[in-house]
Amino acid sequence: MQEYQAVVRVRHEGLDLAVTGEALDKVTGALVEYGATAQLWPDVSEWTMTVRVPTLWDVAACAGRLVRTAYFEAGHGVTVVRVDAWAVAEWEQARELGG
């Protein structure tokens, strides 16, 4: 397994987590083991998290499913609209080379 950083953007009609504390707590609690942090807008949230999967190709499915499940368990439906990902080791190596 390799470690990847993922940014998962989801759309959730009629839900603004920035003003819905209980839902935010439930979603964040479900994602805490992945070191998830969020940027929140009305109807859209973007979660940055770390996942361990076999290949880069597995990141979108894994991270998307984790976020979708967290919302579902909090009583809200979402649609994953975008996942960006990169290998943590490669990112750290590039940062070291960049100075």
Side-chain angles (χ1 to χ4, degrees):
M1 296 286 191
Q2 294 186 44
E3 193 171 72
Y4 294 92
Q5 191 79 28
V7 177
V8 181
R9 181 175 289 181
V10 295
R11 183 167 307 282
H12 38 76
E13 296 293 325
L15 175 65
D16 184 353
L17 288 182
V19 296
T20 311
E22 184 178 333
L24 178 60
D25 289 346
K26 287 181 181 178
V27 173
T28 303
L31 298 173
V32 73
E33 73 180 272
Y34 305 99
T37 60
Q39 291 191 345
L40 309 170
W41 300 276
D43 299 329
V44 176
S45 298
E46 194 170 84
W47 294 86
T48 301
M49 59 198 300
T50 303
V51 295
R52 293 185 60 79
V53 292
T55 69
L56 180 63
W57 299 106
D58 300 309
V59 175
C62 177
R65 184 173 42 253
L66 290 168
V67 172
R68 198 172 43 245
T69 299
Y71 276 87
F72 178 76
E73 290 175 355
H76 302 284
V78 296
T79 303
V80 176
V81 294
R82 180 178 179 152
V83 177
D84 295 311
W86 56 90
V88 171
E90 291 175 15
W91 177 260
E92 289 174 351
Q93 182 181 15
R95 286 182 60 190
E96 289 173 7
L97 293 174

